[in-house]
Amino acid sequence: MKNKYFEDEEIVDNDLFFVCYMIECVARRIHQKNEYVVNTIGFDNLYHLLSVANVLHSENPKQVEEDWIEEYKLVSGDFNIIDVDSELCSIIPTPLDMGKVYSKLIVDTALLNEDYVKGIVRVYNDEICEVIDDYNNGAFYEPSYVIARAYKNGEF
């Protein structure tokens, strides 16, 4: 995928990973689901964020969160992803962990000629995210090929 601002530069998997990581950070901070963050930011703005990810990754992540919340008018909700049953869940993945899970899922299930923006929108709007984001079941902890197969099959 070509960078929006520098046509000689490619957007790479690491840029995708950074954007997925920040989606997770922002969603946790405002107590919303990742799907809300992705859909509110929108296609064109996601393309912009992927194109500047190689610069943003050197910024303070907390400041990037604040900037996204303000710029894209993201509002707080009441979904707390880390509100888990401690009897069922001994590990709560970090935003970095989940950024890796989602970026790998996007790459592993990419459709023919699909760019990263379309992949982000496709994956984060899929019902499988309800399972992946329910930390009580540990689906996020599965190897990436198992998560990709579950996505393609429509269930774990």
Side-chain angles (χ1 to χ4, degrees):
M1 177 175 187
K2 296 286 181 195
N3 187 298
K4 182 176 186 174
Y5 305 105
F6 302 100
E7 293 179 8
D8 293 344
E9 285 187 25
E10 289 286 327
I11 295 172
V12 296
D13 289 358
N14 197 43
D15 299 325
L16 174 64
F17 167 64
F18 174 78
V19 170
C20 291
Y21 159 66
M22 289 309 305
I23 289 167
E24 186 73 29
C25 288
V26 170
R28 288 184 186 201
R29 183 165 176 177
I30 63 173
H31 297 282
Q32 291 278 11
K33 294 185 177 191
N34 295 328
E35 175 183 18
Y36 165 80
V37 174
V38 167
N39 292 334
T40 303
I41 290 173
F43 188 90
D44 291 337
N45 290 324
L46 286 168
Y47 186 25
H48 161 75
L49 292 170
L50 283 163
S51 295
V52 297
N54 61 348
V55 175
L56 287 180
H57 82 271
S58 63
E59 299 289 325
N60 179 333
K62 296 291 184 200
Q63 184 61 54
V64 175
E65 286 176 29
E66 288 177 26
D67 292 345
W68 284 24
I69 292 166
E70 182 179 324
E71 186 168 343
Y72 303 114
K73 297 174 180 38
L74 300 168
V75 297
S76 293
D78 59 5
F79 176 73
N80 187 354
I81 197 163
I82 60 173
D83 185 16
V84 297
D85 183 338
S86 60
E87 304 248 339
L88 298 173
C89 179
S90 59
I91 299 170
I92 295 177
T94 67
L96 278 172
D97 294 332
M98 294 310 294
K100 183 176 181 181
V101 167
Y102 277 107
S103 63
K104 289 189 71 53
L105 180 58
I106 291 163
V107 170
D108 291 349
T109 62
L111 304 174
L112 187 63
N113 298 321
E114 179 181 60
D115 62 34
Y116 290 135
V117 180
K118 290 177 184 170
I120 290 170
V121 172
R122 174 181 50 81
V123 166
Y124 281 107
N125 281 284
D126 194 277
E127 292 177 3
I128 201 81
C129 295
E130 293 290 330
V131 177
I132 295 170
D133 290 339
D134 179 358
Y135 299 156
N136 291 313
N137 67 33
F140 70 89
Y141 199 60
E142 294 291 338
S144 60
Y145 73 89
V146 172
I147 296 172
R149 185 177 61 222
Y151 173 85
K152 289 176 183 175
N153 293 336
E155 64 182 2
F156 271 88

